[in-house]
Amino acid sequence: MLILYMSNRYVRVVEGEQTGSRIYVRAVYEEEDWNGCILNGTITDEDTFIQLIEKIWAKYDISSRDIHLVIDSTQFNQKIMEMPILKPKQMQEYIQREFANVGRIMDPVYQFFTIGEPDKKTKQVSVFAMKAEGQFLRDYVELFSGAGFHVETVQSARGAAVHLLDFMKLVESGNGIIQFVDNMVLMNFLVAEGKIIFSDRVRLFSDPGTLDYVMEISHSVNNILQFAHTQNLQQAVRDVMIGGLSEQDYQMYTEVLEGINPDLVINILTAGNNIRFDSHIQAEFHSCAVAVGGLLEEREKRGSLVHKVMNSEKEKKNREKRRKLLPVAALAAVMFVAVSVVGIRILYLNIKLKQVQAFNTREDVVESCRIYDETKIERDASLEFGNSMEQLTGRILDYPRVDSETEQIVAACAVNNMVEVEISSYNADGGTLSFDTSADRVERIHQFADQLRQRDIFAAVRYTGYTQDSDGNWSVKVNCTMADRQED
């Protein structure tokens, strides 16, 4: 089985298969997309992308051209939900209702599979469900087909990750946070009491190898811990497992998390005993775990998306053929009736045309038309002037305002969280207010920033540049983007 995994920057190929309760990985290949032809799972330059794929196949001498796609894309709408135990057809209808208000998709297709075992007491089951546009998937299948590849299945990266967590029994092993990092994309999962109760996909904006990059990933852990605290769990979340970080980034990551919560137990995601890599493979499991998850074969997902999108296209073409092959006799009858009706209609319209021509040349009608044209020109000029005034008002209100009330709000948030604040600059063009903060504990600064986000005067709050002095105090640079002003 050949898995082709695509994200924002990396293309990974994994060869292997699932045998019973084990996965055997024979080969892992990886290439970086330096040309930027893949963005959020969408191919922006088809010719360059196909050249990249052909290069991988030639470089590693890959013989098979039957592939299973795993795509990390924002084009997928995905949910993990609790639902009653139903038959597959009823489950499909239930999921379609759940996605009814999610995304405006003209040609939707759905994919779903159960997670773990159903709860016989509550008669509920955890389900991963996904909704995507059929044309988005069809374009992928046709693109690969044109290059001589055969796409057997398509699934989302988050779906492959959920399959992997379920297969590795991580969903059953207590409360914990699992993170998958792939350069600029982060997937988070919170597992608690035998279920995945939270998952999301986060875009990372800092560069790998920097403290800011590690802080973004650690901030997600802090947010998930706060969410878990509101769920009244019987046991606290202590375990954190992560895959995809370099050794240097992982070292910084553990140091930052220990500063946030020293009780956390942090580990690199490992394969365990039921996932085996061939001895010649140099790649580590945690760096390609999501792609390995694509090797898992479940009856609910096997070929479903490909079959749905291609079968719907085939049915569409068949309907077009049937419309073109109408019986000749029926067509002749319709034409005879049409010619008769058209002849009578022409005679009637000639009479009406003469009446209309006589009406349009009357002096009073011509004068009314002149008055109408002049009035319309005056009205259009007034509307254009009114629209200009509205645009000017909007531009004035869009210009951010910083005054004493702003300083009071910042000071109040700082006092609440025992944070020292010193405003350093204000960029009027971009509406960015910058200030330096310091506190004896870094979580005070996180809480201070969260309170700023709750204020309507700020559109965005970002903080970077963590430093710690010899006394153990933390210093962070905070940048706040002012929100547009509103009419009083």
Side-chain angles (χ1 to χ4, degrees):
M1 187 174 183
L2 199 63
I3 302 299
L4 178 58
Y5 168 86
M6 295 179 296
S7 182
N8 271 294
R9 192 164 181 175
Y10 290 97
V11 175
R12 294 187 179 92
V13 178
V14 173
E15 287 188 275
E17 62 272 329
Q18 176 190 2
T19 305
S21 60
R22 293 179 180 274
I23 293 177
Y24 178 66
V25 180
R26 295 191 301 272
V28 177
Y29 313 118
E30 179 179 285
E31 290 291 331
E32 194 165 357
D33 172 26
W34 293 103
N35 295 309
C37 58
I38 308 173
L39 179 62
N40 285 326
T42 300
I43 299 173
T44 58
D45 186 336
E46 294 185 357
D47 293 337
T48 304
F49 173 77
I50 291 299
Q51 290 174 9
L52 175 62
I53 299 300
E54 294 287 6
K55 173 186 173 182
I56 296 173
W57 254 247
K59 179 178 179 179
Y60 299 105
D61 193 24
I62 304 173
S63 58
S64 175
R65 298 179 80 86
D66 294 332
I67 57 176
H68 299 256
L69 292 181
V70 176
I71 307 172
D72 182 7
S73 173
T74 55
Q75 296 287 335
F76 296 118
N77 296 290
Q78 301 165 98
K79 286 184 179 182
I80 296 176
M81 62 183 74
E82 293 291 310
M83 60 185 295
I85 301 174
L86 301 170
K87 295 180 179 180
K89 184 178 180 180
Q90 296 172 323
M91 190 174 292
Q92 172 90 2
E93 295 171 351
Y94 184 98
I95 290 170
Q96 290 181 8
R97 291 194 297 269
E98 287 293 312
F99 277 109
N101 297 322
V102 178
R104 298 179 179 179
I105 297 178
M106 299 299 294
D107 179 24
V109 290
Y110 300 87
Q111 183 186 51
F112 63 93
F113 56 83
T114 58
I115 308 171
E117 297 296 328
D119 189 331
K120 295 182 180 179
K121 292 183 180 179
T122 62
K123 296 183 179 180
Q124 297 280 310
V125 63
S126 293
V127 173
F128 174 86
M130 187 198 74
K131 177 182 179 181
E133 185 175 3
Q135 189 59 48
F136 169 74
L137 300 171
R138 194 175 296 116
D139 289 343
Y140 260 107
V141 174
E142 293 175 351
L143 173 64
F144 279 100
S145 177
F149 293 87
H150 172 66
V151 178
E152 296 191 2
T153 64
V154 180
Q155 61 176 308
S156 70
R158 199 188 304 184
V162 171
H163 265 295
L164 184 68
L165 298 181
D166 194 20
F167 177 79
M168 296 176 66
K169 307 299 181 184
L170 295 181
V171 179
E172 303 174 4
S173 58
N175 296 354
I177 298 171
I178 301 99
Q179 295 182 296
F180 296 94
V181 185
D182 189 351
N183 193 263
M184 63 184 69
V185 175
L186 169 66
M187 284 191 292
N188 297 300
F189 296 92
L190 171 60
V191 175
E193 299 176 356
K195 298 177 182 178
I196 300 175
I197 65 174
F198 173 83
S199 74
D200 69 351
R201 178 185 184 273
V202 179
R203 173 75 162 81
L204 301 176
F205 295 94
S206 302
D207 293 327
T210 64
L211 180 59
D212 288 343
Y213 182 74
V214 172
M215 290 300 302
E216 286 190 67
I217 301 171
S218 303
H219 185 63
S220 288
V221 174
N222 189 45
N223 289 340
I224 295 172
L225 289 174
Q226 294 180 21
F227 170 78
H229 183 70
T230 65
Q231 301 303 302
N232 299 320
L233 302 177
Q234 296 180 359
Q235 296 180 358
V237 177
R238 298 295 183 210
D239 294 324
V240 177
M241 286 181 285
I242 189 166
L245 286 181
S246 67
E247 184 175 348
Q248 175 187 351
D249 287 341
Y250 178 70
Q251 182 64 35
M252 289 191 292
Y253 172 78
T254 56
E255 292 174 359
V256 172
L257 283 188
E258 287 171 358
I260 295 175
N261 188 338
D263 296 330
L264 293 175
V265 179
I266 308 163
N267 290 292
I268 286 283
L269 185 67
T270 56
N273 296 326
N274 56 349
I275 300 178
R276 179 186 172 189
F277 275 42
D278 195 273
S279 58
H280 78 278
I281 297 176
Q282 297 181 356
E284 297 184 70
F285 167 73
H286 71 88
S287 66
C288 58
V290 177
V292 172
L295 293 171
L296 293 166
E297 296 184 84
E298 295 288 342
R299 63 180 180 274
E300 296 98 332
K301 75 168 188 179
R302 187 178 300 150
S304 59
L305 287 181
V306 174
H307 292 162
K308 287 177 182 178
V309 298
M310 299 313 293
N311 287 344
S312 64
E313 184 69 11
K314 182 178 179 181
E315 177 61 25
K316 179 181 178 181
K317 291 180 179 179
N318 289 337
R319 287 198 301 267
E320 292 177 354
K321 289 181 180 179
R322 288 195 294 269
R323 285 197 297 268
K324 294 178 181 179
L325 296 176
L326 291 175
V328 177
L331 180 59
V334 170
M335 292 299 297
F336 175 79
V337 174
V339 169
S340 301
V341 171
V342 168
I344 297 172
R345 182 66 176 171
I346 290 174
L347 180 62
Y348 170 75
L349 291 177
N350 282 332
I351 297 174
K352 296 294 292 183
L353 177 61
K354 291 180 180 179
Q355 294 175 349
V356 171
Q357 288 174 339
F359 175 81
N360 287 338
T361 56
R362 282 168 38 187
E363 293 184 1
D364 58 333
V365 174
V366 172
E367 178 64 17
S368 297
C369 290
R370 184 189 64 78
I371 295 173
Y372 170 81
D373 291 338
E374 292 177 354
T375 304
K376 184 175 182 300
I377 292 173
E378 293 178 0
R379 185 206 63 177
D380 292 344
S382 298
L383 288 175
E384 183 177 356
F385 178 77
N387 291 336
S388 299
M389 292 300 100
E390 290 181 2
Q391 293 176 2
L392 179 60
T393 302
R395 292 175 181 175
I396 294 173
L397 292 177
D398 285 344
Y399 192 82
R401 177 174 60 193
V402 176
D403 52 19
S404 59
E405 181 183 355
T406 306
E407 296 180 359
Q408 293 172 5
I409 290 174
V410 174
C413 293
V415 170
N416 291 342
N417 296 282
M418 299 179 67
V419 176
E420 295 183 5
V421 176
E422 180 180 351
I423 296 177
S424 58
S425 65
Y426 172 65
N427 184 343
D429 292 335
T432 302
L433 179 66
S434 301
F435 40 85
D436 300 315
T437 63
S438 62
D440 58 345
R441 297 204 311 267
V442 71
E443 57 265 27
R444 294 188 187 280
I445 299 177
H446 295 324
Q447 294 167 358
F448 166 66
D450 289 339
Q451 282 198 5
L452 290 178
R453 289 192 181 96
Q454 297 173 10
R455 302 292 182 159
D456 293 337
I457 66 170
F458 298 122
V461 178
R462 299 178 296 278
Y463 45 98
T464 59
Y466 283 70
T467 59
Q468 188 177 31
D469 59 22
S470 59
D471 296 329
N473 293 321
W474 288 86
S475 298
V476 179
K477 185 76 172 182
V478 179
N479 298 306
C480 296
T481 302
M482 306 301 297
D484 295 342
R485 289 162 44 194
Q486 303 295 321
E487 291 188 79
D488 296 333

